[in-house]
Amino acid sequence: MSTQDDQTHAVSEQETEGPAAPIILFFIIGFAASLVLGWGIFPKLLYSQKHQPINFNHALHVEEVDDGCESCHYFREDGSFSGIPNLESCMECHEDVIGVSEEEEKFVAEFVVPEREVSWLVYSRQPDCVYFSHAPHVIAGKMACVECHGHIGESDHARVYEENRFTGYSRDIWGKNIAGLAKHPWERMKMDDCSKCHVRENVNQGSVQTQKGGCFVCHK
Amino acid sequence: MKIDRRSFLALAVGGAAGTALTPLPWKLTDDSSIWSQNWPWTPVPEKGENSYAFTSCTLCPGGCGLMVRMVGERAVKIEGLEGHPVNDGGVCVLGLSGLQLLYGSTRVKTPLKRVGKRGQGHWKKISWEAALAEVAEKLGQLRDDNQSHTVACITGSKHGTIPALFKRFMTVYGSPNVMTTPSVGDTLEMALQVMHGVEAQAGYDVENADYILSFGSGLIEGWGAPVRMFRANSAWRENGTKVVQVEPRLSNTAAKSDQWIPINPGTEAALAMGIAHVMMKESLVNNDFVESYTEGYTGWKKMVLDEYAPEKVASITGIDKMVIVKVAREFAGAGKPLALCGRGNGETPGSLAEAMAVHTVNALVGNINQEGGVVAVPIPEYAAWPETGLDNTAQIGMAKDRVDGAGSDAFPLAASLLNRFAAGAMSAKDYPVNALLVSGTNPVYSTPGANDFKKAVEKIPFVVSFSSYMDETAMQADLILPNHVYLERYEDIPVMAGLQKPMVELTQPVVFPMHDTKNAGDAIIELSNAMGGSIGDAFPWESYEACLEETLGDKWDVLSEDGLWEDEAFQPAGWGEAFATASGKFEFMNPDMDLMPSYVPLNLEGNASTFPLLLMPFDSMRLASGFISDPPFVIKAVEDTILKGKDACVEVNPATAKSLGLADGKPATLSTPKGEARVRIYHYHGIMPGVVAIPRGLGHSADDKYMAGKGVNFNELIGPVEDRASGLDMAWGVRAKLAKA
């Protein structure tokens, strides 16, 4: 028994005789690579880049209409919010080409003439498990569009829509910053952002119907 | 430098530490939770502006008004129409699930021609032109051979333009064999015909009654117009109306009633007679009515006093004598008492003598055509077009005896006896049935003696179904000419579900037809035109919609605007004018027809030693048992005391179960003289010993995977038993036996 132990000991000593690999180096390589992967490559892999069917110019439209955002994004009679206008609303003005832009020409040819709804990509669409209503915010809370949606009304082009390959929702929900940091409300629209404002403004934390707080206010 | 295991470990540890400091794990965790809460394959309603389309439900005879929430062209939810006289905003679970009948998988999407054997389900798509041409050719051939009378037709409803168009087609074609799907409404119509001498349906002013005596009617289980009955039931609770439920089984209705009187199955008429006995003996009847407005009272009274003494009735019904006397006194003493009949949801016609017995209980307290009573409601007869000439073939065909014997000397009161059709077609006594058209009904499933009915249909060389769904009858067809479903089509619905005013509703399309289907009305008009001659001449309309508009006349404007036409001015006739019998009075008996309100025991099939138990069906709001079968949402809502896995549960009293050695929840074989089925035992104290019950509406072999192969079809375990007086099926149950599986 003792002989065998001696031999084993001898062999292991022999192995460590060569130049020792710097363990710390490998640790640093692993550490650095994962940082590059997590901060740099992962966000690029996670989101696909999509373009709107029509490169919409908000700034131009806002100049032309009388009623600001509400000219197109209005509350319906039943209190629900119209969101992105449907083709019928667009056609109130664009039954024919009325301007000089190529995008408008394309819009009329591809959508108006064949009466095909435009499949707009909605940057701010919350997942279906979230119940969100504009009315309490805009009508009761008297919030301006810009408070949540930022200066979208001033943009002269439709920016790239980044779709989460996993969930199918827009990157705007999590925010451009992959760390989830945001300065303004329109840079991130996660649950914590909702509750942060609700707490700060001391608004009703419970459901209007049940007077109960918690999950069921938004997750019905 | 040597790279060893420790180097890799260091790399991995470094990687893990680094990853923890990146957003990757936290972001992926968040995303996976979002993903798993919003499975991309779960359908969600379309987004967009909501609008409402208005129509009427056709899934049962109740005639609820519906508002369908739409997003664009897509129907997303069915809701009850507020302010509607039938349902006022309410809707039942079947009505609520109607969208699955529109968008679901059981639709027949295009005309189909059978290519395999009958029932195999092998079909070839064909065009409407080809399908109609084939029907026209086959029927034309039979007509050329003077066999027009050998063509039979079965429709769902009796009233309205669609059944009327089929009937008109059959008349000008030359066949008297038009049958409709029976219900207790037919029996009650006959009772009114005999006792009042009028053609009317029985309406019940349930809202204004203050004492309800129900002889087995499933008041909250589909009887009448179901949603109206829910509302009435709630109103009774609030205004203190007493509800007495007479029924062998503790049904939901019995459980919600103020008094449940368990009774030996099938002896309800005896109880009604016993109650009449007590009321007459104790002079609790409405003297004004019986003395001035009735005929044959004295003779009938004598018979009742002789034969239905409470002691005797107690021995027949199993109800304590004092209970009978007390109920009779309470009923007579109430301000507006009302007795109701029609077992369960009223889909089975029952005995005419029994319907007359219950009607008599109402008559004795003088609640005929009174507030809170029974009202003889005239049937809206607008679907009556000018007669067109019948050619020689048609005249010869129409002169033949009907295959079901309705209207013959034996059954002069009956207009249609679907229960006798299978036997008539099988025996081919006078002539065989060479072709069958079926529209708006599923008789292969829903006729008692379903297996015999199927055999009879298998024998018919040419079967055409107009069903929107691949149901059991469509499976037996040679050609399917699919109708639009109700949310895609126009159809008038004269409401015949016990309402106290004449009412017609309009089913209107809320969506464009999804598939290559055609309104059965259009199909029959086009078929007639394809056949030409005097047949084509009888159908001058361009389309069914044009026919409907013309037929409804001034009602059309109201109907297309409001979806509902109500005879606002209707007032029940006073006792002086109400009766058109030979005597001009309410007649207790009809000696010519040897008819009177009485207790006629059912001759149960099978012998008591082989089949010691009595099997009854029961109905549930969660089980559709007629033309429509449960959509997936509804079958999911069926409790596991009714359907456990794929087995229907049979309700057995624990005492009976113990004597048979049948443990709760265990499989068993239920057999009757008609067939046997695997069931699961459910020990239930709410059913009397010796009686067992299974639900109706299960045991489909057709439709989709959600419905087919679940439970047992009660209609396969029971056969029809002919009522000598009416010819209709009077069976309420069948002898049975239970054994361990």
Side-chain angles (χ1 to χ4, degrees):
Chain A
M1 284 292 280
S2 62
T3 320
Q4 211 173 22
D5 275 355
D6 289 347
Q7 277 172 356
T8 317
H9 191 239
V11 170
S12 64
E13 266 189 3
Q14 256 179 11
E15 269 181 0
T16 53
E17 271 170 17
I23 298 298
I24 191 69
L25 180 67
F26 283 99
F27 179 84
I28 290 167
I29 293 171
F31 190 79
S34 62
L35 286 182
V36 171
L37 178 75
W39 290 97
I41 300 169
F42 167 66
K44 289 200 169 58
L45 288 177
L46 185 62
Y47 295 105
S48 68
Q49 306 236 321
K50 289 190 169 174
H51 294 274
Q52 296 284 4
I54 295 292
N55 188 8
F56 188 84
N57 185 335
H58 266 100
L60 185 68
H61 283 84
V62 173
E63 264 177 41
E64 296 292 327
V65 296
D66 300 328
D67 218 1
C69 307
E70 279 169 45
S71 310
C72 298
H73 309 289
Y74 52 87
F75 284 93
R76 302 192 188 104
E77 270 178 32
D78 64 0
S80 64
F81 187 65
S82 66
I84 293 188
N86 59 12
L87 186 67
E88 200 187 329
S89 313
C90 301
M91 279 169 66
E92 283 171 21
C93 299
H94 294 279
E95 207 166 345
D96 294 307
V97 180
I98 52 175
V100 289
S101 107
E102 274 177 31
E103 286 297 311
E104 194 205 358
E105 251 178 64
K106 183 176 152 196
F107 170 68
V108 171
E110 287 182 16
F111 297 99
V112 176
V113 174
E115 292 191 17
R116 196 157 65 90
E117 284 292 334
V118 189
S119 43
W120 297 107
L121 301 161
V122 188
Y123 302 105
S124 51
R125 172 155 297 156
Q126 287 287 341
D128 274 316
C129 56
V130 183
Y131 177 84
F132 175 83
S133 172
H134 274 88
H137 297 87
V138 179
I139 299 175
K142 299 201 175 4
M143 290 170 74
C145 307
V146 70
E147 286 186 49
C148 297
H149 291 282
H151 300 282
I152 180 89
E154 295 161 25
S155 69
D156 58 5
H157 69 282
R159 65 193 160 85
V160 171
Y161 176 90
E162 290 185 82
E163 187 183 272
N164 187 312
R165 291 183 203 268
F166 198 8
T167 66
Y169 291 102
S170 163
R171 182 171 186 165
D172 286 36
I173 306 301
W174 178 269
K176 186 77 185 164
N177 185 312
I178 196 67
L181 300 174
K183 267 191 199 159
H184 304 289
W186 56 86
E187 287 170 357
R188 187 179 151 92
M189 288 180 262
K190 292 289 291 176
M191 191 168 82
D192 292 346
D193 305 285
C194 298
S195 60
K196 202 160 65 189
C197 185
H198 276 221
V199 171
R200 188 185 68 217
E201 298 296 326
N202 198 23
V203 292
N204 191 0
Q205 300 293 309
S207 158
V208 177
Q209 288 89 9
T210 63
Q211 299 306 315
K212 285 182 183 158
C215 313
F216 289 110
V217 178
C218 301
H219 301 290
K220 288 180 192 286
Chain B
M1 190 170 77
K2 208 171 176 71
I3 297 175
D4 58 9
R5 191 167 55 92
R6 276 181 290 182
S7 316
F8 281 110
L9 279 175
L11 189 74
V13 171
T19 304
L21 293 177
T22 72
L24 189 144
W26 328 112
K27 178 74 174 111
L28 280 183
T29 308
D30 185 74
D31 281 352
S32 56
S33 81
I34 293 175
W35 179 66
S36 62
Q37 286 174 67
N38 301 278
W39 300 119
W41 53 84
T42 305
V44 289
E46 283 192 27
K47 294 182 169 64
E49 185 169 6
N50 288 342
S51 61
Y52 283 92
F54 301 90
T55 186
S56 298
C57 192
T58 65
L59 302 182
C60 87
C64 287
L66 301 180
M67 43 198 276
V68 183
R69 184 144 58 84
M70 309 285 298
V71 174
E73 299 292 319
R74 178 93 186 181
V76 295
K77 191 183 178 215
I78 293 178
E79 294 168 14
L81 181 58
E82 276 179 31
H84 193 278
V86 173
N87 57 322
D88 190 20
V91 66
C92 76
V93 62
L94 178 65
L96 201 59
S97 309
L99 291 182
Q100 292 192 317
L101 298 169
L102 170 67
Y103 295 120
S105 58
T106 56
R107 301 270 318 253
V108 179
K109 296 173 179 168
T110 160
L112 294 176
K113 184 179 161 69
R114 178 172 64 81
V115 287
K117 283 188 184 155
R118 282 260 176 95
Q120 248 185 348
H122 293 168
W123 305 94
K124 184 175 83 176
K125 289 180 184 176
I126 58 169
S127 69
W128 273 99
E129 292 72 34
L132 289 169
E134 186 167 339
V135 181
E137 194 208 319
K138 283 265 163 58
L139 297 186
Q141 227 163 35
L142 286 168
R143 204 169 130 83
D144 291 345
D145 300 341
N146 285 324
Q147 297 292 309
S148 65
H149 57 285
T150 65
V151 178
C153 171
I154 306 172
T155 61
S157 165
K158 265 205 304 199
H159 305 289
T161 53
I162 293 285
L165 284 171
F166 273 94
K167 188 160 189 191
R168 187 175 180 82
F169 173 80
M170 295 296 282
T171 306
V172 291
Y173 174 78
S175 171
N177 290 311
V178 180
M179 279 147 287
T180 54
T181 309
S183 75
V184 71
D186 297 332
T187 313
L188 290 165
E189 271 182 38
M190 284 187 197
L192 292 182
Q193 206 178 328
V194 173
M195 304 175 98
H196 292 209
V198 296
E199 298 243 345
Q201 59 155 336
Y204 297 100
D205 190 7
V206 292
E207 288 83 359
N208 291 311
D210 64 4
Y211 187 98
I212 301 285
L213 176 58
S214 153
F215 290 86
S217 300
L219 303 177
I220 52 169
E221 283 147 312
W223 185 90
V227 181
R228 174 211 186 197
M229 294 308 296
F230 297 160
R231 290 170 51 219
N233 187 56
S234 307
W236 294 333
R237 302 287 142 237
E238 276 166 31
N239 63 25
T241 295
K242 181 167 181 179
V243 179
V244 179
Q245 178 73 1
V246 179
E247 199 177 355
R249 175 181 168 271
L250 182 66
S251 63
N252 282 359
T253 304
K256 297 283 179 192
S257 67
D258 296 289
Q259 186 182 357
W260 169 42
I261 303 179
I263 185 170
N264 288 336
T267 63
E268 286 85 347
L271 176 64
M273 300 303 288
I275 288 170
H277 176 106
V278 175
M279 288 198 291
M280 290 193 285
K281 193 170 178 192
E282 300 187 0
S283 297
L284 301 171
V285 298
N286 182 316
N287 286 323
D288 180 26
F289 182 75
V290 294
E291 278 164 21
S292 309
Y293 302 98
T294 65
E295 179 71 24
Y297 177 63
T298 321
W300 183 73
K301 179 178 176 181
K302 186 175 179 310
M303 185 278 288
V304 179
L305 291 181
D306 287 349
E307 293 187 22
Y308 294 99
E311 297 76 17
K312 188 175 168 195
V313 171
S315 73
I316 299 172
T317 59
I319 300 169
D320 189 82
K321 182 188 129 189
M322 279 324 291
V323 173
I324 300 168
V325 174
K326 189 164 168 270
V327 168
R329 286 175 187 161
E330 273 181 15
F331 186 81
K336 293 172 200 155
L338 178 60
L340 304 171
C341 69
R343 288 185 179 80
N345 65 12
E347 274 173 20
T348 44
S351 136
L352 176 56
E354 179 177 300
M356 289 169 71
V358 174
H359 193 53
T360 310
V361 170
N362 283 317
L364 288 177
V365 292
N367 73 358
I368 306 292
N369 287 2
Q370 299 290 306
E371 192 184 83
V374 191
V375 181
V377 182
I379 297 157
E381 294 290 7
Y382 52 86
W385 302 291
E387 295 287 329
T388 55
L390 302 189
D391 65 9
N392 205 25
T393 318
Q395 282 178 24
I396 295 171
M398 285 301 288
K400 300 274 185 187
D401 288 338
R402 286 171 59 105
V403 73
D404 64 353
S408 64
D409 292 344
F411 307 112
L413 292 169
S416 151
L417 295 171
L418 189 59
N419 50 308
R420 302 186 84 245
F421 173 73
M426 279 306 271
S427 72
K429 192 162 66 76
D430 298 323
Y431 52 85
V433 176
N434 284 323
L436 175 68
L437 313 178
V438 184
S439 166
T441 182
N442 183 12
V444 171
Y445 172 82
S446 61
T447 310
N451 287 329
D452 294 337
F453 198 95
K454 190 173 162 193
K455 278 188 201 131
V457 172
E458 279 166 359
K459 215 182 137 195
I460 299 172
F462 185 57
V463 178
V464 182
S465 162
F466 291 79
S467 178
S468 308
Y469 313 104
M470 192 53 87
D471 55 36
E472 283 79 0
T473 311
M475 284 294 284
Q476 295 300 321
D478 299 285
L479 269 176
I480 308 178
L481 308 180
N483 195 357
H484 298 324
V485 302
Y486 69 117
L487 297 167
E488 300 170 326
R489 71 169 187 248
Y490 277 108
E491 190 176 339
D492 54 317
I493 316 285
V495 185
M496 298 286 154
L499 303 182
Q500 60 276 59
K501 271 187 181 177
M503 195 186 286
V504 181
E505 293 180 26
L506 185 66
T507 289
Q508 309 183 65
V510 302
V511 293
F512 291 109
M514 307 255 311
H515 307 293
D516 186 18
T517 53
K518 204 185 269 289
N519 191 310
D522 280 312
I524 208 76
I525 290 172
E526 287 175 31
L527 176 63
S528 314
N529 290 331
M531 297 196 71
S534 58
I535 302 176
D537 292 346
F539 294 83
W541 307 282
E542 227 171 73
S543 65
Y544 173 65
E545 206 181 318
C547 164
L548 195 58
E549 193 174 336
E550 186 193 309
T551 308
L552 288 164
D554 50 0
K555 286 192 187 80
W556 172 260
D557 295 336
V558 184
L559 277 169
S560 53
E561 184 77 14
D562 305 336
L564 170 80
W565 173 87
E566 217 179 348
D567 191 348
E568 294 285 354
F570 173 77
Q571 285 296 330
W575 291 339
E577 303 84 50
F579 310 111
T581 50
S583 60
K585 293 178 174 178
F586 179 94
E587 293 192 351
F588 282 96
M589 307 204 269
N590 187 323
D592 296 344
M593 284 194 254
D594 191 20
L595 256 178
M596 67 170 117
S598 54
Y599 165 57
V600 181
L602 175 70
N603 271 328
L604 288 156
E605 211 174 330
N607 67 58
S609 54
T610 323
F611 299 104
L613 303 169
L614 287 176
L615 171 66
M616 285 173 45
F618 66 89
D619 295 310
S620 156
M621 278 309 296
R622 299 174 194 178
L623 280 169
S625 50
F627 172 41
I628 300 293
S629 55
D630 268 8
F633 282 165
V634 187
I635 191 72
K636 272 282 181 197
V638 173
E639 50 271 63
D640 70 357
T641 53
I642 289 183
L643 178 69
K644 184 117 182 154
K646 295 225 161 200
D647 292 330
C649 298
V650 57
E651 293 179 352
V652 191
N653 188 286
T656 310
K658 197 178 168 197
S659 71
L660 295 169
L662 297 166
D664 195 21
K666 291 285 183 269
T669 305
L670 175 64
S671 29
T672 72
K674 284 286 167 193
E676 64 171 47
R678 183 192 146 98
V679 290
R680 212 172 266 266
I681 300 295
Y682 169 47
H683 286 189
Y684 184 47
H685 285 278
I687 191 152
M688 59 173 59
V691 180
V692 296
I694 60 167
R696 295 199 302 160
L698 290 172
H700 279 274
S701 58
D703 294 313
D704 54 9
K705 62 180 176 181
Y706 300 100
M707 200 56 213
K710 288 185 181 169
V712 46
N713 179 5
F714 177 75
N715 296 315
E716 291 177 3
L717 296 176
I718 189 173
V721 179
E722 206 168 283
D723 180 0
R724 192 182 52 79
S726 67
L728 290 163
D729 178 18
M730 66 179 283
W732 45 260
V734 63
R735 286 194 201 282
K737 150 177 103 173
L738 266 177
K740 279 184 200 167

